[in-house]
Amino acid sequence: MALNAGTRLGPYEIVAAIGAGGMGEVYKARDMRLKRDVALKVLPEFFATDPDRLARFQREAEVLASLSHPNIAAIHGLEESDGIRALVMELVEGETLADRIARGPIPLDEALPIAKQIAEALEAAHEQGIIHRDLKPANIKLRPDGAVKVLDFGLAKALEPSPVGSTAVSLSPTITSPAMMTGVGVLLGTAAYMAPEQAKGRAADKRADCWAFGCVLYEMLTGKRPFDGEDVTETLAAILMREPDWSALPPATPLAIRTLLKGCLEKNRRDRFADISTPRFLLSERASALVERVEVPVPGPPDPAVIQPQIDAAVSTARLQLAKRSRRRAALVGLITLVAGGGIAGAAVWFATRPAPPRVSRLTISAPRSALPSSNASDLDLAITPDGSRVVYIGDNGAQLFVRALDAAGPASVFKGAPRGLFISPNGQWIGFVDGVTGLKKVAITGGPSVTVATFDSAPRGATWTADDSIIFATLSAGTGLLRVPATGGTPVVLTRPDRAHGEQDHLWPEMLPGDRAVLFTITALAGGLDAAQVAVLDLQTGTRKILIRGGSHAHYVTSGHLVYTTAGTLRAVAFDLARLEVRGTAVPVVADVVTWTTGGADAAIARNGTLAYLSGSGTGAGARVQRTMFWVDRQGHETPLPTSPQAFIYPRLSPDQQRVAVASQESDIDIWLWDLARTTLTRFTFDPGIDTYPLWTPDGRRIIFSSERAGARNIFSQPADGTGSVERLTESPNIQNASAVSPDGSRLIFSETMPQTNEDIMQVELTGKHRVTPLVQSPFSERNGIVSPDGRWLAYEATDSGRVEIYVRPYPDVNSGHWQVSTGGGVRPLWSRNGQELFYISLSGALMRVGVERGQSWAATTPTLLLKGGYYTNPGAFLGRSYDVSADGQRFLMLKEGSASDQDSTQSSITIVQNWGEELKRLVPAK
């Protein structure tokens, strides 16, 4: 009978129906006495007419209640009220294994930990003399924290009638139960996991659970049942007569797991594993190492004369190891002996038919001109689905998000806006990204409306999607490191904070490790640049972290047993022990032409199946930065390139006399260069090995002020523009300081500073005297890129007051006497015209916007209008400095464009795919 919400069953109040099956209806209920949620399994009504069965069930339920194991859903008791009998059970949240398999095969690194927990649950029950008898994916729950819970332990035995006059009672209760004789789908679902002896109506023992366990593991790895049919009769016939399709297993399935499956799915139960402890042991890394020592030359069938000595050696080693273990490991000794003799365990057959390792292949993704890949040179522009079948990338000059299946003729656009920072959900169905600057969103990989997950007040620097449906991400906000937010939406929670006392600047580029136990991330340093960056791992269970790699960043795990990370513009690989979270051996360069950035990241993505996808920049070379050319662009959009060779230019600034350009270059040494417009020459201005960036001219053109890490943390320095004289330090702070503007009278410098445990604030320093530093705009939000109007009356800047970055104006220097928002749809990097009658800024789509400013005692401005469409390098998603400038007459803009002037219409970057890359890593970087 169905129970409605609010119905009371003793002290339990029904909350909602959960499901129904051959063993009764299941409800979520509230225990009003203990104030906890439980699951009530209401037993079939025919129990009331069978007192013998009811008494027997009572005895069996008492035994089941004695089970206590972290992987077994507990039985709390038996409740009877108004003729209704129900088991009171632990309420286990999460999806069933059947739900997970319905989305497709489960990768090895995810499937084997699940299988091991199932085996441990069965082993614990078998040691108490309890047999499950109805193990199947629908009876296995996957909790969000990664724990596995097996449900309905022993209920098949408890629910069957007394064994009098029939041998069929040991069949699954779903088959024999009258309540389910019309439930064909459920009936078939149970039949598919029945051992041959159960199908024949014979008694079931522990070996039936071993069979069902093998069926479940096979289905996890292949996405299909080993024995299936259109109805129960065909399914039972397959169980009795056919062999599983062993070729359906993933090629990388270890020998130990193939041996496990073969031993579990022997039709003759005398030949089958007699104890679940053997499969459980074969799932351990130690056993895998023993069996995998038997190596077979490939390709082609091996020579038995070569194989047998290797088998004998493995058997000898295994015997020595197993002699030290408990007696219940004796079954494995027998198994290995049978393997050596070519017996029923099937390992010898596997050697004879072992497929050659997957072939490593490379291909380049092409796209129509409107969908060419592009890189913003600061965050992830590329991702790949876990199964390696589809590549997701940003194209159309950063304005669209494309999905390209490897077997498709072309890409499909799934989002338009300003996407960046791509990552994929574990099931491959969702794309995570940041739209513009602060909007963390997701969109179905097949397209459709995007969904906002969260907003934050700083530019993203990597994200990863966990199996429990949450997102761990990083931003440039120095007050926080890694943060976590539910993928369904919510408020981010801080996981880490940089330790500034120990020289840490930020925590970036999180990458989840298999099993959701730990996450890789990069620690950037206050001094030393990327040479001082470190790859670390955070244990999410204990909160502890440790350093894995020094002098590297942006690490990924590859299922071949390696970490791949970025250093000096190259991908390097090192062997990695996933169980101990330790690197082993020496790192080796493996890919040399990946687009990399000064933030330590690289446009490279690795699928769970080992497929590598990366952007190789056009003309960038090994480890080079994205090349850019400077252009004059008039208000009608006509372009004139400056005759300089492309470099990784950023932050161009025109001198007051319009004769020179100071520009930073993101080459291997990040320095400031000077371009002479009349002589068409480019000369280096700073030579220090530390980062020198954000150049500014003083109003008289005599000095250049810039931010530098030459003395530790990034502070403000000044140097004569002619290159003579000494460099003067203007500020001393442990915090990052980025120069943004000089006041029109030349007396003060405006800069942003990242404060400990807070966001960025706008500050100013006096350029004369003792260089006194005072705050300008401080708030709980982030403010940066401040610039004073030519008449000295207004301060324009960008901030996150509204939750989205916008352009604001305040009076100057009395900044607290007014506050106006200028942009309407998001904006960054403001710039005044030289006459002060216009204010420019970059929209979140990368377009140049214009606002007319009316002269007067109070602030008055026109509605923003489009001046130049996107397509120029403005890096709209990052909270960095301004990468454009305006001429003195306001008629031309100095813009940057990626590539050289001659190849602006060619592919900016190409996507390279390396399938089965893990096989190449095994050869290049052997695991120790």
Side-chain angles (χ1 to χ4, degrees):
M1 60 176 295
L3 300 179
N4 297 322
T7 302
R8 291 290 291 266
L9 189 64
Y12 304 101
E13 182 175 300
I14 301 297
V15 176
I18 297 177
M23 297 184 191
E25 298 164 339
V26 185
Y27 297 88
K28 179 179 180 180
R30 182 69 174 171
D31 185 339
M32 306 306 292
R33 291 177 302 188
L34 300 179
K35 306 301 181 183
R36 64 177 177 181
D37 291 329
V38 297
L40 291 185
K41 183 178 287 290
V42 177
L43 303 179
E45 294 181 8
F46 62 83
F47 257 57
T49 62
D50 192 339
D52 290 337
R53 178 182 290 188
L54 190 59
R56 185 165 178 269
F57 177 79
Q58 176 69 35
R59 294 192 299 270
E60 294 288 345
E62 291 172 1
V63 175
L64 300 179
S66 68
L67 279 179
S68 178
H69 190 272
N71 297 120
I72 297 176
I75 293 179
H76 299 316
L78 184 63
E79 185 66 29
E80 180 177 0
S81 178
D82 296 329
I84 300 174
R85 294 176 176 83
L87 273 176
V88 184
M89 307 175 68
E90 174 187 0
L91 179 65
V92 182
E93 301 290 353
E95 65 179 351
T96 68
L97 183 56
D99 296 331
R100 173 60 186 86
I101 294 174
R103 299 199 301 271
I106 304 177
L108 275 164
D109 59 348
E110 181 183 344
L112 297 187
I114 294 173
K116 187 171 184 290
Q117 294 184 67
I118 297 170
E120 289 173 345
L122 290 171
E123 186 178 37
H126 289 177
E127 289 176 349
Q128 298 296 320
I130 298 173
I131 307 167
H132 196 293
R133 285 179 173 82
D134 194 25
L135 184 71
K136 55 188 176 184
N139 281 341
I140 298 166
K141 279 271 198 166
L142 307 179
R143 286 198 337 194
D145 63 1
V148 175
K149 290 279 189 177
V150 182
L151 313 179
D152 290 352
F153 249 108
L155 292 188
K157 179 73 173 177
L159 281 169
E160 69 183 19
S162 299
V164 178
S166 173
T167 61
V169 294
S170 291
L171 291 172
S172 162
T174 314
I175 296 293
T176 61
S177 168
M180 289 309 300
M181 290 307 291
T182 59
V184 177
V186 178
L187 210 155
L188 177 60
T190 294
Y193 308 93
M194 290 170 59
E197 58 269 26
Q198 288 177 293
K200 295 176 182 179
R202 297 172 183 171
D205 59 14
K206 292 186 292 184
R207 289 169 290 189
D209 280 356
C210 288
W211 172 280
F213 175 78
C215 291
V216 170
L217 178 54
Y218 180 96
E219 187 174 351
M220 289 166 64
L221 296 177
T222 66
K224 61 183 181 180
R225 296 167 177 167
F227 308 100
D228 214 347
E230 293 184 0
D231 53 33
V232 175
T233 301
E234 287 189 8
T235 300
L236 297 182
I239 290 171
L240 295 172
M241 303 299 295
R242 294 202 297 265
E243 284 293 312
D245 179 7
W246 298 114
S247 66
L249 291 170
T253 304
L255 174 60
I257 303 306
R258 294 177 182 267
T259 303
L260 182 161
L261 289 168
K262 185 69 177 177
C264 283
L265 297 178
E266 284 293 336
K267 297 186 186 299
N268 188 336
R269 64 176 174 178
R270 293 180 181 177
D271 296 332
R272 196 182 310 146
F273 289 145
D275 195 301
I276 195 65
S277 63
T278 301
R280 201 273 300 164
F281 181 66
L282 283 173
L283 284 164
S284 68
E285 292 184 4
R286 187 176 183 186
S288 298
L290 291 177
V291 181
E292 290 290 351
R293 290 182 187 182
V294 184
E295 298 180 354
V296 182
V298 291
D303 183 351
V306 176
I307 299 304
Q308 194 60 47
Q310 297 184 23
I311 295 177
D312 293 342
V315 171
S316 176
T317 302
R319 288 183 187 276
L320 290 174
Q321 295 290 335
L322 293 171
K324 301 176 182 180
R325 305 183 73 88
S326 62
R327 290 184 178 179
R328 62 194 178 98
R329 303 295 184 222
L332 188 56
V333 177
L335 164 67
I336 297 178
T337 302
L338 287 170
V339 171
I344 51 80
V349 175
W350 160 240
F351 286 131
T353 60
R354 187 179 188 182
R359 181 180 178 182
V360 179
S361 62
R362 285 173 165 79
L363 59 110
T364 300
I365 293 286
S366 60
R369 189 175 303 275
S370 60
L372 294 177
S374 58
S375 172
N376 67 31
S378 63
D379 208 341
L380 300 175
D381 306 286
L382 180 73
I384 188 168
T385 56
D387 63 1
S389 65
R390 287 179 284 191
V391 175
V392 181
Y393 70 92
I394 295 171
D396 189 17
N397 290 311
Q400 292 194 65
L401 184 58
F402 293 96
V403 175
R404 170 69 182 270
L406 298 191
D407 59 356
S413 175
V414 296
F415 178 82
K416 293 183 179 181
R420 61 194 305 258
L422 307 182
F423 57 104
I424 308 292
S425 64
N427 61 11
Q429 300 303 306
W430 290 91
I431 305 169
F433 64 98
V434 175
D435 184 19
V437 181
T438 60
L440 181 63
K441 295 185 176 182
K442 63 180 181 180
V443 66
I445 200 164
T446 54
S450 63
V451 179
T452 298
V453 176
T455 58
F456 38 87
D457 55 11
S458 190
R461 284 297 179 266
T464 185
W465 202 313
T466 70
D468 66 356
D469 206 31
S470 63
I471 294 170
I472 296 176
F473 64 94
T475 72
L476 281 183
S477 177
T480 59
L482 304 185
L483 300 97
R484 189 170 194 156
V485 65
T488 53
T491 302
V493 175
V494 176
L495 292 181
T496 68
R497 295 185 186 275
D499 186 350
R500 296 191 172 277
H502 290 83
E504 294 184 2
Q505 174 180 310
D506 210 344
H507 295 167
L508 312 174
W509 314 122
E511 290 287 343
M512 205 69 204
L513 287 172
D516 270 20
R517 167 193 166 193
V519 60
L520 300 168
F521 67 101
T522 298
I523 300 174
T524 57
L526 289 170
L530 291 180
D531 291 339
Q534 302 172 109
V535 173
V537 61
L538 171 68
D539 190 317
L540 295 175
Q541 297 176 352
T542 65
T544 59
R545 57 175 171 147
K546 62 179 177 181
I547 304 301
L548 300 176
I549 298 165
R550 299 182 186 277
S553 61
H554 201 184
H556 306 258
Y557 175 74
V558 188
T559 52
S560 57
H562 298 87
L563 285 189
V564 175
Y565 63 96
T566 304
T567 181
T570 300
L571 294 187
R572 300 174 70 89
V574 64
F576 183 65
D577 187 327
L578 182 61
R580 298 183 178 180
L581 300 179
E582 296 175 354
V583 296
R584 295 180 175 179
T586 304
V588 174
V590 288
V591 180
D593 59 348
V594 179
V595 171
T596 56
W597 328 303
T598 56
T599 52
D603 267 323
I606 303 171
R608 197 174 288 153
N609 70 350
T611 298
L612 166 70
Y614 65 93
L615 290 180
S616 51
S618 174
T620 59
R625 309 300 179 186
V626 177
Q627 306 293 287
R628 305 184 188 98
T629 300
M630 289 185 282
F631 280 78
W632 282 116
V633 185
D634 65 22
R635 291 183 177 241
Q636 289 72 45
H638 301 140
E639 298 176 350
T640 304
L642 272 64
T644 176
S645 299
Q647 280 197 37
F649 292 130
I650 193 168
Y651 314 138
R653 296 292 183 271
L654 283 162
S655 62
D657 62 6
Q658 307 285 286
Q659 296 302 304
R660 289 180 292 175
V661 178
V663 61
S665 177
Q666 295 176 309
E667 298 296 333
S668 55
D669 291 329
I670 302 177
D671 280 292
I672 296 170
W673 295 65
L674 297 180
W675 171 255
D676 191 307
L677 291 167
R679 298 169 55 199
T680 65
T681 57
L682 183 68
T683 58
R684 190 169 176 174
F685 179 70
T686 62
F687 296 86
D688 189 87
I691 292 176
D692 297 319
T693 188
Y694 294 102
L696 297 170
W697 297 88
T698 55
D700 58 12
R702 295 182 177 180
R703 301 186 71 86
I704 294 177
I705 300 173
F706 56 94
S707 297
S708 176
E709 296 182 4
R710 62 184 60 202
R714 186 180 300 174
N715 284 179
I716 310 298
F717 293 79
S718 175
Q719 183 175 336
D722 60 6
T724 62
S726 60
V727 176
E728 180 183 12
R729 185 170 186 172
L730 302 180
T731 63
E732 289 191 37
S733 171
N735 305 322
I736 300 173
Q737 298 175 327
N738 294 326
S740 61
V742 179
S743 63
D745 61 5
S747 65
R748 284 160 290 189
L749 171 80
I750 312 301
F751 66 94
S752 61
E753 181 167 4
T754 303
M755 301 297 183
Q757 310 299 323
T758 65
N759 300 309
E760 287 187 69
D761 293 326
I762 297 178
M763 313 289 286
Q764 63 181 352
V765 57
E766 295 176 356
L767 296 180
T768 57
K770 296 183 178 181
H771 304 310
R772 184 170 62 100
V773 175
T774 55
L776 268 180
V777 183
Q778 290 182 314
S779 77
F781 308 103
S782 291
E783 303 91 11
R784 55 182 68 78
N785 287 328
I787 184 168
V788 180
S789 61
D791 61 7
R793 296 182 56 203
W794 309 105
L795 174 72
Y797 64 98
E798 63 189 69
T800 59
D801 298 34
S802 66
R804 178 175 61 185
V805 64
E806 300 279 5
I807 301 298
Y808 295 90
V809 165
R810 290 175 182 259
Y812 181 84
D814 186 11
V815 295
N816 294 319
S817 61
H819 187 195
W820 299 273
Q821 180 176 323
V822 176
S823 58
T824 56
V828 292
R829 298 192 259 299
L831 172 65
W832 296 94
S833 64
R834 298 299 172 95
N835 61 15
Q837 296 180 23
E838 293 177 295
L839 179 62
F840 311 107
Y841 67 90
I842 302 296
S843 74
L844 299 188
S845 65
L848 180 64
M849 306 296 291
R850 173 198 177 275
V851 174
V853 179
E854 299 178 11
R855 295 182 181 275
Q857 295 301 314
S858 60
W859 173 257
T862 64
T863 302
T865 57
L866 174 68
L867 187 58
L868 294 176
K869 293 182 179 179
Y872 301 99
Y873 176 76
T874 55
N875 200 11
F879 283 122
L880 299 176
R882 173 169 46 85
S883 283
Y884 71 101
D885 208 348
V886 63
S887 61
D889 61 6
Q891 298 305 305
R892 297 189 301 170
F893 298 87
L894 187 60
M895 310 294 289
L896 296 176
K897 220 173 186 183
E898 292 184 354
S900 66
S902 61
D903 67 4
Q904 289 304 313
D905 292 331
S906 65
T907 303
Q908 297 180 18
S909 340
S910 60
I911 302 177
T912 301
I913 306 294
V914 186
Q915 294 178 308
N916 303 311
W917 189 50
E919 296 300 319
E920 185 170 272
L921 291 181
K922 292 176 185 177
R923 176 177 60 82
L924 296 174
V925 194
K928 302 297 182 180

